Amino acid sequence: MAYRAEPPDGGWGWMVVLSAFFQSALVFGVLRSFGVFFVEFVAAFEEPAARVSWIASIGIAVQQFGSPVGSVLSTKFGPRPVVMTGGILAALGMLLASFATSLTHLYLSIGLLSGSGWALTFTPTLACLSRYFSRRRSLATGLALTGVGLSSFAFAPLFQWLLNHYAWRGALLLVSALSLHLVACGALLRPLSLAEDPVVGGPGAQITSLLCHGPFLRYTIAITLINTGYFIPYVHLVAHLRDLGWDPLPAAFLLSVAAISDLVGRVASGWLGDAVPGPVARLLMLWTTLTGVILALYPVAEVPTGLVALTVAYGFTSGALTPVAFSVLPELVGTGKIYCGLGLVQMVESIGGLLGAPLSGKGNRISRWAMAAVFYHAGGGGEGN
Amino acid sequence: MRALQGLRGPRAPSLPLLLLCFLAAVRRSLEDGLSTAAPFTSLPVQEEMMTEYSNLSLESHNLSVTERPNMPAEKNITLERPSNVELTCQFTPSGNLNAVNVTWKKGDKLLEDNYLVNATGSILYTQYRVAVINSKQMGSYSCFFGEKKQQRGTFNLKVPEINGKNKPLITYVGDTVVLICKCQDCLPLNWTWYSGNGSVQVPIGVPVNDKYVISGKHANETRLKITQLSEDDQGTYWCHAIFELGESEGHVELVVLSYLVPLKAFCAIAAEVVLLVAIILLFEMYTQKKKKPSDDGKEIEQGEQLKLDDSNGIENSGPRHRKNESVGQ
């Protein structure tokens, strides 16, 4: 039968990278910059900021928990129709949100509807990307994921400009139009059939076989642990700096610096992952161990130069581990099962993400960093198969 | 009421002697507590005023006047309710203390009484007291030192400032909006709202109607709720706070847009997306038609879709088939 023996590693694959780049920008960039809207919602609906921030939490939770659904559908139908449908759903959610009269309305339209739209886009795209590349997989993934960092820079001022000119209703309408571009990105995902496809069977069979796969389960637990620690530094860095007496503007600036080094880390690690021979899992262990060490050093560093250096290093290493983390999976489960595998991992790791931030909130300033470091080390250790 | 002659600023050559006597008299009282405002003995005039307005609070403000002209000594004082105000200027002259001429002015008008002059060591102090009971006593009070090159210190007495909003408020036709004016820690007697068309200010809410509702949760803020917005409601709105000592105002700018404005932008972007999708899919169908189905080897991926159309029942051809249909739509 006319199936490809191995991934093309180029050609149309680079268009898939482009599509993945814009999709990660439109999904995570929008989510990360949404804080700009929250100020307006607090004033418009007269609700406390904690309740308004649930909009983003629900959106992220639905996106991650719904990943298996996206995976199953794209195994059956291929990534293209699934991603295009996801784009329409995400845009529809934002459109309905512009007519909102209450906060619950926003929970349902942005959180639930847009969230499920995002669930149908991100996972199938990354999985499709893994199928298109083998030798240059890490680099392709790293390049695609830079979309997240760059869009966080671009979208925050853009959203503020939209709010200043159109108020939040008009701005949501235009963000909906922006999200429609997910449909165009989906159109770029040309289906690829690889030699393993007939062997692995339909989605149901794939999921059962994955759940019995030892290395896959270990990988999932490791990623979950890493994910638990992942958000802790981002959530607490600014507070930590303020405790040490920093002004708000330099503290926010330091976060931007971390974002830049995160970006550089992703691309560099992607390139490195492909250049270095041998299993990629070793690199993942390296980056997670480094990140853990850096986080453990945070409570000790009080001098501003030390903190800046630590933050740059943290941004680099935590960015570096993302493309490698995604690259390990195809090596473990094979490109045939990649859709379902990625979906399952995302669903389980989201539990870690949800738990991480509140758990760390309970500790004091120093214990938080220790907790994060522990999670990273545990995850890294789990990778040492 | 005229003060005792010797206690006005030294204007005639004979006065320095009197000043020296005054200095000797008060030196003992000045020995302690110089870190606070220079203690002056009160004038009979001022004692009279104090008893009349003794129930009012006392506010003291100090200024240090220097000989550097590029650093003007100025202080803004916010007053909300009637009170007794004590303004003290201190000056360190380079030359002889006694040769310095001290005067007070309110705006441009020279003040003739109610002020004291005192010298301690090398620093010259002067103090002016006024009972501020209505808006006539508000304004700028200045102390002047010297005759050839006059050094000056200014106290600006003002009512509290009102904050409206600096950025224009964007709303849509048919919406309801609440305009808020507030001040930091003040309690105005009353609030009024005006809408401004150019320089003319028209009061709002005078014939009480449903469209405008003026309310306020706390005394330091006022809210104007406008319902059923239309494009005529666009413009600047002024809120006036009335105090015993004067009036203060803030402004809020309102912009009313019609729904068509963002809707047009939305439709334009949606059309662009549809165009992009069409281009991508057409390009793909074009490249598929160009590739011959008999090509083996690496470039099978597009060709095999055509092959699968006419062929067998492998499980995966089912979904591929469905996918082709949805792509073709």
Side-chain angles (χ1 to χ4, degrees), chain A residues 1-2 4 76-77 80 164-167 170 173-174 176-177 180-181 184 187 190-193 197-198 202, chain B residues 167 170 172 257 261 265-266 269 272-273 277 280 284 298 300-302 304-305 315-316 319-320 322-323 327:
Chain A
M1 209 42 244
R4 292 189 72 95
K76 230 171 146 28
F77 300 109
R80 178 182 270 165
N164 288 344
H165 281 82
Y166 294 101
L173 201 63
L174 293 175
S176 162
L180 271 182
H181 287 90
R190 257 189 225 173
L192 188 64
S193 39
D197 289 347
Chain B
K167 285 191 304 185
I170 316 253
Y172 290 94
L257 299 172
V261 175
F266 176 82
I269 300 179
E272 175 232 330
V273 173
V277 175
I280 294 172
E284 185 166 326
K298 297 266 165 62
I300 328 172
E301 49 168 316
Q302 293 100 4
E304 48 114 338
Q305 281 186 347
E315 181 191 336
N316 284 329
R320 301 254 178 266
R322 261 178 281 168
K323 219 178 344 142
V327 161

Side-chain angles (χ1 to χ4, degrees), chain B residues 270-291:
Chain B
E272 175 232 330
V273 173
V274 172
L275 196 68
L276 270 177
V277 175
I279 292 176
I280 294 172
L281 295 177
L282 285 173
F283 176 72
E284 185 166 326
M285 283 201 274
Y286 179 67
T287 46
Q288 273 180 21
K289 285 195 185 110
K290 279 186 86 178
K291 299 250 185 258

Side-chain angles (χ1 to χ4, degrees), chain B residues 220-231:
Chain B
N220 67 336
E221 71 173 22
T222 179
R223 289 162 181 251
L224 175 67
K225 182 163 151 178
I226 313 179
T227 51
Q228 297 290 70
L229 280 168
S230 70
E231 279 173 338

Side-chain angles (χ1 to χ4, degrees), chain B residues 126 147 179 201:
Chain B
T126 178
E147 63 267 281
L179 306 176
Q201 288 195 358

Side-chain angles (χ1 to χ4, degrees), chain A residues 144-217:
Chain A
L145 290 176
T146 53
V148 183
L150 285 175
S151 62
S152 305
F153 274 121
F155 283 171
L158 176 69
F159 286 1
Q160 191 57 55
W161 184 88
L162 284 176
L163 283 170
N164 288 344
H165 281 82
Y166 294 101
W168 63 269
R169 287 187 195 272
L172 276 177
L173 201 63
L174 293 175
V175 173
S176 162
L178 198 66
S179 302
L180 271 182
H181 287 90
L182 284 170
V183 181
C185 292
L188 279 172
L189 298 178
R190 257 189 225 173
L192 188 64
S193 39
L194 297 174
E196 312 142 315
D197 289 347
V199 178
V200 295
Q206 285 189 28
I207 291 183
T208 356
S209 71
L210 280 172
L211 289 175
C212 303
H213 194 217
F216 174 73
L217 291 174

Side-chain angles (χ1 to χ4, degrees), chain B residues 48-73:
Chain B
E48 224 179 282
M49 274 171 59
M50 292 294 275
T51 47
E52 198 176 318
Y53 297 112
S54 58
N55 57 333
L56 299 175
S57 56
L58 180 66
E59 295 221 3
S60 299
H61 297 276
N62 302 338
L63 254 188
S64 216
V65 181
T66 56
E67 275 180 344
R68 276 178 289 175
N70 54 342
M71 261 177 46

